[in-house]
């Protein structure tokens, strides 16, 4: 049986997986890997922006800090966890695509919006002269399209996605 979400191929002896995109550092490679596991567990065909958001919150303390901890972060995590047992079930078997961005065809296991978010994160990093995108870059990217599932989750959790997007526009990651 073929996996629903394509895996990265093994590159060299020793079992290290090839990085499908050399612009991913270890930090974002772990985020994408976590999002892939979550998508498979949720029964989704592709990694979407909500999977990326959830994985970012799990792996990146700087991203968690954006949500000021406490009740706001707890509410957001609760909605993300509920997607596999509640409202997220309506997303199963469908592709996340708002139609607002051009479809990316070379998206190994990513929804069109998630692939676009990865590309935007890389462009954002390059704009400040960094070789690799990081968690804040990807967070800014997953909230760019108002039709993204990550934006829907944020809105349901009572977080103003537009204000978050605006607040992240000029933010330079701490580890830059």
């Amino acid at each position: 049986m073929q996996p629903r979400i394509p895996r990265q191929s093994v590159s060299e002896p020793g079992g290290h997986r090839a990085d499908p995109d050399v612009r991913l550092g270890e930090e974002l490679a772990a985020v994408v890997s976590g999002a892939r596991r979550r998508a498979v567990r949720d029964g989704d065909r592709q990694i979407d922006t909500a999977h990326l958001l959830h994985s970012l919150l799990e792996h990146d303390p700087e991203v968690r800090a954006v949500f000021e901890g406490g009740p706001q972060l707890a509410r957001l995590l609760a909605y993300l966890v509920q997607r596999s047992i509640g409202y997220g079930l309506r997303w199963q078997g469908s592709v996340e695509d708002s139609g607002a961005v051009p479809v990316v065809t070379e998206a190994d296991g990513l929804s069109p919006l998630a692939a676009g978010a990865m590309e935007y994160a890389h462009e954002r990093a390059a704009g400040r002269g960094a070789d690799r995108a990081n968690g804040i870059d990807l967070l800014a990217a997953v909230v760019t399209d108002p039709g993204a599932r990550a934006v829907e989750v944020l809105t349901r959790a009572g977080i103003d996605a537009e204000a978050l997007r605006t607040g992240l526009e000029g933010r330079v990651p701490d580890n830059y």
Side-chain angles (χ1 to χ4, degrees), residues 38 41-42 50-61 63-65 67-85 87 150 153-159:
R38 190 163 297 288
R41 186 173 52 237
D42 290 349
H51 293 122
L52 291 172
L53 175 62
H54 198 163
S55 194
L56 275 168
L57 290 168
E58 289 177 332
H59 290 90
D60 193 324
V63 168
R64 282 192 301 278
F67 296 98
E68 303 167 4
Q72 187 180 52
L73 182 58
R75 200 168 41 250
L76 176 57
L77 286 169
Y79 272 99
L80 287 164
V81 167
Q82 288 177 8
R83 81 173 278 165
S84 64
I85 59 172
Y87 76 91
V153 169
L154 288 164
T155 301
R156 286 180 178 263
I159 297 168

Side-chain angles (χ1 to χ4, degrees), residues 21 24 132 135:
D21 190 332
L24 285 179
R132 294 185 172 126

Side-chain angles (χ1 to χ4, degrees), residues 21-22 29 38 45 50 56 61 64 66 80 83 92 106 110 116 133 140 147 149-150 154 160 165:
D21 190 332
V22 295
R38 190 163 297 288
R45 291 182 13 211
L56 275 168
R64 282 192 301 278
V66 168
L80 287 164
R83 81 173 278 165
Q92 281 186 342
E106 304 267 336
L110 298 170
R149 290 178 182 167
L154 288 164
D160 183 346
R165 185 173 26 258

Side-chain angles (χ1 to χ4, degrees), residues 78-136:
Y79 272 99
L80 287 164
V81 167
Q82 288 177 8
R83 81 173 278 165
S84 64
I85 59 172
Y87 76 91
L89 291 176
R90 65 187 166 84
W91 291 337
Q92 281 186 342
S94 65
V95 175
E96 177 189 38
D97 183 11
S98 70
V101 295
V103 173
V104 179
T105 58
E106 304 267 336
D108 190 28
L110 298 170
S111 73
L113 286 182
M118 293 297 289
E119 189 59 37
Y120 178 79
H122 296 306
E123 290 170 9
R124 188 176 189 272
R128 67 170 194 282
D131 292 335
R132 294 185 172 126
N134 65 20
I136 293 296

Side-chain angles (χ1 to χ4, degrees), residues 6-9 11 17-25 28-29 32-33 36 106-110 118 122:
R7 300 279 181 199
Q8 299 169 353
S9 61
S11 62
R17 294 186 183 269
D19 195 347
D21 190 332
V22 295
R23 298 174 296 178
L24 285 179
L28 283 189
V32 171
S33 180
R36 179 175 287 114
E106 304 267 336
D108 190 28
L110 298 170
M118 293 297 289
H122 296 306

